[in-house]
């Protein structure tokens, strides 16, 4: 399916009845052959009115990633990227941008006239397939295993439509499955349910498998005679049954996977579930996480065994933490790579940083993008680094700003040292070679180079390069006026 970014008017045209009928000749063949060509279509065009947001619903995040990214990930574990199609509409360009790099195809649904209409718009793109699995872009807990089971059930039973259903204690809000024995007569949306139907606890998950030919031979029969005046994909159950096509429901054994996110409260619930699952997975892999309910760990984060994560830690984005590390409370680490045996003390913030083995950070260190902290380096209290390389065993333990700097091995940076890297227009580099000792409260005005083994006296303002093995002092000479205070007191009397 290497379509599918067509111009707006082409899409409208594609949605028209004539095109659909031409693309799908009606057929009497009811079977879905095993080994048939399978596409996965993800419905992701909705506005998400109930979220009361100006952003597209499927880009709202849970587990640190857009809803749609989770669904795409599950889909990609079942079929190759060129067989995955996202049906997009509201803020489509932003959705495409967010999914860039996944290799999936897109179809636009403009305007959004319901889930049935979404599939109408995808008809031309699906014409080469035997069956299509339809997923909801707002239900991110779905797993590849469940999608495969649904596909295999559908093939095996030779159904025209198989609905993934779930038996829920509280079915409120979901479409209900109306059965006639093994087959399904209809799906009735909550708003249209009779009081008796409302009591049915088998619900429609919003995931389906369709045989492509009967789907598109009959999809034109959908009507908009419902409270939202939309084309409901759910109505295909009744439509196909009237066309004497077999409609089945496969009850999932894992109802928690079908959870959707129509409201902010549901988003929060999903996020919590997903992160707790992530903690359980890491713990099963050998990571100690104390008080996992308090930790925020994104789905793609990796942590090696024997690392200890204390309460209220956030590990975000593409962060990778090695083994035998200790990440103490209130640290927030994003898109960073941390070696083995690293200690990150309380309240440290790492953003796009690299940290070598056995380094010690914090408490309250701030490593900004481009910080490359070498092995056994210490970066301590209230030290901020940005675009800095620090060589093995170097130390900056207190109250320091190091920006745009190249720091060698075994360097000691005294408390309160500042690299003055910015002249108001441009950034300049500070080079500190191996074994340099910078005394406390020094300001290093870049561009500047401190040669190998040199010393900078405390409280110096250094504006010129310092040759190797020399001492640089850049401070006012001290004056002592003996008895000055005593005399002052006397004159004040
Ligand atoms: C849908 C089902 C309901 C089921 C529930 C499960 C219908 C009519 N109802 O309801 O039976 O129990 O899912 O969660 O399908 N979308 C489009 N284009 C549109 C409208 C929606 O792509 O024109 C997308 C949305 O972005 C969303 C998905 O389809 O990802 C489902 O739509 P949503 O409005 O959330 O349906 P529900 O009300 O949850
Ligand atoms: Ca939904």
């Amino acid at each position: 399916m290497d379509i599918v970014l067509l111009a707006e008017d082409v899409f409208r045209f594609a949605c028209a009845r004539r095109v659909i009928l031409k693309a799908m000749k009606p057929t009497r063949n009811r079977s879905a052959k095993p080994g048939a060509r399978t596409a996965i279509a993800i419905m992701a065009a909705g506005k998400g009115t109930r979220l009361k947001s100006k952003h597209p619903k499927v880009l709202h995040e849970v587990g640190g990633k857009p809803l749609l990214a989770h669904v795409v990930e599950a889909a990609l574990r079942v079929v190759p990227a060129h067989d995955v199609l996202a049906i997009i509409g509201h803020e489509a360009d932003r959705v495409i941008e967010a999914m860039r790099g996944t290799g999936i195809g897109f179809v636009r649904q403009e305007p959004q006239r319901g889930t049935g209409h979404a599939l109408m718009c995808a008809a031309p793109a699906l014409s080469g397939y035997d069956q299509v699995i339809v997923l909801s872009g707002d239900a991110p807990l779905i797993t590849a295993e469940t999608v495969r089971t649904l596909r295999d059930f559908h093939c095996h039973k030779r159904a025209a439509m198989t609905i993934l259903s779930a038996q829920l204690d509280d079915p409120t809000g979901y479409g209900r499955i109306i059965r006639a024995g093994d087959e399904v007569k209809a799906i009735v949306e909550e708003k249209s349910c009779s009081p008796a139907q409302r009591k049915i606890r088998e619900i429609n998950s919003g995931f389906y498998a369709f045989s492509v030919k009967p789907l598109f031979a009959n999809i034109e029969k959908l009507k908009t005679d419902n409270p939202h005046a939309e084309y409901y994909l759910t109505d295909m159950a009744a439509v196909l049954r009237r066309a004497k096509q077999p409609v089945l429901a496969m009850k999932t054994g894992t109802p928690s996977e079908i959870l959707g996110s129509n409201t902010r409260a549901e988003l929060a619930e999903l996020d919590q579930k997903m992160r707790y699952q992530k903690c359980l997975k890491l713990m099963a892999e050998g990571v100690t996480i104390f008080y996992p309910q308090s930790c925020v760990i994104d789905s793609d984060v990796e942590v090696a065994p024997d690392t200890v994560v204390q309460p209220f830690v956030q590990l975000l984005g593409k962060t990778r933490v090695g083994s035998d590390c200790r990440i103490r409370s209130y640290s927030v680490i994003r898109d960073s790579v941390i070696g083995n045996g690293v200690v990150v003390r309380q309240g440290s913030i790492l953003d796009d940083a690299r940290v070598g083995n056995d380094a010690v950070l914090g408490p309250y260190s701030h490593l900004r993008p481009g910080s490359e902290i070498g092995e056994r380096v210490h970066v301590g209290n209230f030290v901020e680094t940005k675009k800095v390389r620090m060589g093995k065993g170097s130390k900056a333990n207190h109250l320091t700003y190091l920006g745009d700097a190249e720091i060698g091995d075994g360097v000691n940076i005294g408390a309160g040292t500042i690299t003055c890297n910015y002249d108001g227009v441009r950034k300049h580099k500070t080079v500190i070679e191996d074994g340099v000792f910078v005394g406390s409260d020094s300001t290093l005005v870049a561009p500047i180079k401190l040669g190998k083994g040199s010393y900078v006296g405390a409280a110096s303002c250094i504006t010129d390069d310092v040759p190797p093995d020399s001492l640089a002092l850049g401070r006012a000479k001290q004056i002592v006026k003996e008895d000055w205070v005593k005399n002052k007191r006397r004159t004040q009397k």
Side-chain angles (χ1 to χ4, degrees):
M1 184 195 303
D2 35 16
I3 5 148
V4 212
L5 285 172
L6 311 176
E8 214 91 307
D9 47 351
V10 178
F11 286 109
R12 260 183 222 120
F13 181 62
C15 295
R17 176 192 173 91
R18 214 155 38 89
V19 176
I20 293 168
L21 292 179
K22 201 170 139 203
M24 318 285 149
K25 281 203 200 96
T27 176
R28 254 175 276 126
N29 176 13
R30 290 159 49 156
S31 68
K33 301 177 286 292
R37 284 199 67 197
T38 304
I40 295 184
I42 306 172
M43 298 184 293
K47 186 167 185 294
T49 315
R50 288 162 281 184
L51 289 177
K52 300 200 170 59
S53 171
K54 56 184 174 300
H55 308 298
K57 176 187 201 176
V58 293
L59 291 191
H60 281 262
E61 291 191 356
V62 293
K65 268 200 310 211
L67 290 165
L68 181 58
H70 293 280
V71 183
V72 167
E73 212 172 274
L76 291 178
R77 289 176 55 210
V78 181
V79 298
H82 58 260
D83 292 329
V84 178
L85 181 72
I87 304 164
I88 54 177
H90 186 69
E91 296 262 359
D93 292 340
R94 284 186 56 200
V95 179
I96 291 170
E97 184 56 37
M99 295 302 122
R100 194 173 291 286
T102 59
I104 66 167
F106 298 93
V107 158
R108 286 185 200 236
Q109 182 199 8
E110 209 67 72
Q112 296 90 48
R113 302 186 61 198
T115 45
H117 179 244
L119 263 284
M120 289 179 194
C121 293
L126 294 170
S127 63
Y129 292 90
D130 298 303
Q131 54 194 19
V132 55
I133 314 283
V134 178
L135 306 179
S136 263
D138 67 344
L141 297 179
I142 189 71
T143 61
E145 291 67 42
T146 301
V147 175
R148 273 191 219 108
T149 312
L150 175 65
R151 177 197 58 193
D152 296 346
F153 179 97
H154 180 78
C155 277
H156 181 71
K157 299 281 185 186
R158 297 172 172 247
M161 174 183 189
T162 304
I163 303 145
L164 184 74
S165 70
Q167 191 77 17
L168 299 187
D169 291 340
D170 178 12
T172 312
Y174 289 96
R176 309 296 205 279
I177 306 286
I178 315 295
R179 280 185 178 265
D182 277 348
E183 296 209 3
V184 173
K185 271 207 302 207
I187 302 171
V188 183
E189 289 304 298
E190 164 112 352
K191 278 192 180 156
S192 310
C193 276
S194 66
Q197 288 170 333
R198 205 158 282 157
K199 290 204 181 96
I200 296 173
R201 294 197 296 119
E202 185 180 12
I203 62 95
N204 168 30
S205 69
F207 301 116
Y208 321 85
F210 287 100
S211 296
V212 165
K213 284 181 180 170
L215 169 65
F216 291 116
N218 291 285
I219 201 165
E220 290 306 304
K221 295 175 188 163
L222 288 180
K223 295 200 179 82
T224 54
D225 53 349
N226 54 58
H228 289 122
E230 287 185 346
Y231 293 104
Y232 285 172
L233 188 57
T234 46
D235 288 344
M236 280 312 293
V239 164
L240 285 169
R241 191 172 158 85
R242 276 198 296 276
K244 308 254 177 296
Q245 297 283 345
V247 178
L248 300 177
M250 186 195 92
K251 230 183 250 185
T252 175
T254 47
S256 56
E257 277 181 34
I258 62 141
L259 226 61
S261 45
N262 295 325
T263 62
R264 301 268 177 174
E266 283 168 358
L267 271 181
E269 198 182 319
L270 273 173
D271 182 71
Q272 214 170 357
K273 270 203 165 71
M274 205 171 265
R275 291 184 191 283
Y276 191 62
Q277 287 298 325
K278 176 74 186 180
C279 284
L280 291 178
K281 182 167 179 283
L282 289 174
M283 289 192 270
E285 290 165 1
V287 179
T288 295
I289 304 177
F290 291 120
Y291 200 180
Q293 295 87 340
S294 72
C295 291
V296 176
I297 303 182
D298 283 356
S299 330
D300 293 341
V301 167
E302 293 170 27
V303 186
D306 289 321
T307 281
V308 177
V309 178
Q310 290 196 337
F312 299 101
V313 162
Q314 297 193 30
L315 302 176
L316 308 173
K318 307 268 178 224
T319 293
R320 292 205 319 262
V321 181
S323 60
D324 294 300
C325 295
R326 188 167 275 268
I327 316 292
R328 295 199 194 276
S329 298
Y330 312 112
S331 290
V332 180
I333 303 176
R334 178 184 294 281
D335 294 331
S336 296
V337 179
I338 294 179
N340 302 323
V342 173
V343 178
V344 181
R345 295 197 179 119
Q346 276 83 345
S348 295
I349 299 172
L350 279 70
D351 196 0
D352 197 7
R354 306 276 169 279
V355 181
N357 296 341
D358 302 311
V360 180
L361 310 177
Y364 312 111
S365 297
H366 185 186
L367 274 52
R368 293 169 49 203
S371 297
E372 289 183 34
I373 306 303
E375 281 180 27
R376 289 176 282 106
V377 163
H378 288 199
V379 176
N381 310 255
F382 305 104
V383 173
E384 176 182 347
T385 64
K386 188 218 73 177
K387 274 201 192 152
V388 163
R389 246 201 18 233
M390 283 182 86
K392 285 181 192 144
S394 290
K395 289 178 183 164
N397 272 329
H398 331 264
L399 305 159
T400 286
Y401 171 66
L402 300 170
D404 301 292
E406 189 83 41
I407 299 171
D409 296 346
V411 169
N412 195 311
I413 309 273
T417 297
I418 290 171
T419 53
C420 307
N421 59 330
Y422 186 49
D423 62 10
V425 183
R426 275 190 304 268
K427 300 284 174 67
H428 302 281
K429 194 155 184 177
T430 299
V431 177
I432 304 178
E433 294 185 339
D434 294 349
V436 167
F437 180 96
V438 180
S440 299
D441 190 28
S442 294
T443 50
L444 309 174
V445 182
I448 199 153
K449 181 170 173 180
L450 309 185
K452 196 168 172 184
S454 61
Y455 267 52
V456 171
S460 288
C461 175
I462 301 295
T463 53
D464 296 317
D465 288 354
V466 179
D469 298 319
S470 17
L471 168 68
L473 289 168
R475 64 187 182 212
K477 208 165 158 37
Q478 183 171 326
I479 300 169
V480 177
K481 298 187 177 179
E482 282 184 23
D483 292 334
W484 185 86
V485 181
K486 202 159 62 182
N487 295 336
K488 182 176 158 73
R489 273 194 218 109
R490 196 181 308 130
T491 57
Q492 275 171 348
K493 270 190 190 151

Short mmCIF file of all heavy atoms in Angstrom, two decimals, residues 50 57 138 260-262, ligand 2:
data_model
loop_
_atom_site.label_atom_id
_atom_site.label_comp_id
_atom_site.label_asym_id
_atom_site.label_seq_id
_atom_site.Cartn_x
_atom_site.Cartn_y
_atom_site.Cartn_z
N ARG A 50 -14.72 15.35 23.27
CA ARG A 50 -14.88 15.18 24.71
C ARG A 50 -13.61 15.52 25.50
O ARG A 50 -13.64 15.69 26.71
CB ARG A 50 -15.33 13.74 25.02
CG ARG A 50 -16.77 13.50 24.63
CD ARG A 50 -17.10 12.03 24.52
NE ARG A 50 -16.62 11.44 23.26
CZ ARG A 50 -16.84 10.17 22.89
NH1 ARG A 50 -17.53 9.37 23.67
NH2 ARG A 50 -16.37 9.73 21.73
N LYS A 57 -6.98 14.39 18.88
CA LYS A 57 -7.13 13.44 19.99
C LYS A 57 -5.99 12.42 20.03
O LYS A 57 -5.40 12.17 21.09
CB LYS A 57 -8.45 12.71 19.81
CG LYS A 57 -8.72 11.63 20.82
CD LYS A 57 -9.98 10.89 20.41
CE LYS A 57 -10.58 10.17 21.59
NZ LYS A 57 -11.84 9.54 21.22
N ASP A 138 -7.41 5.68 19.43
CA ASP A 138 -7.49 6.22 20.79
C ASP A 138 -7.50 5.12 21.85
O ASP A 138 -7.81 5.38 23.00
CB ASP A 138 -8.72 7.14 20.94
CG ASP A 138 -10.04 6.37 20.85
OD1 ASP A 138 -10.03 5.21 20.38
OD2 ASP A 138 -11.08 6.94 21.24
N GLY A 260 -10.47 2.76 25.92
CA GLY A 260 -10.29 3.94 25.07
C GLY A 260 -10.07 5.16 25.92
O GLY A 260 -10.05 5.10 27.15
N SER A 261 -9.90 6.30 25.26
CA SER A 261 -9.61 7.52 26.02
C SER A 261 -10.42 8.66 25.44
O SER A 261 -9.90 9.46 24.68
CB SER A 261 -8.12 7.83 25.96
OG SER A 261 -7.67 7.68 24.63
N ASN A 262 -11.67 8.70 25.79
CA ASN A 262 -12.54 9.75 25.26
C ASN A 262 -12.47 11.03 26.09
O ASN A 262 -12.82 12.09 25.63
CB ASN A 262 -13.98 9.26 25.19
CG ASN A 262 -14.14 8.12 24.20
OD1 ASN A 262 -13.46 8.10 23.17
ND2 ASN A 262 -15.00 7.17 24.51
CA1 LIG B 2 -13.28 6.07 21.62
#
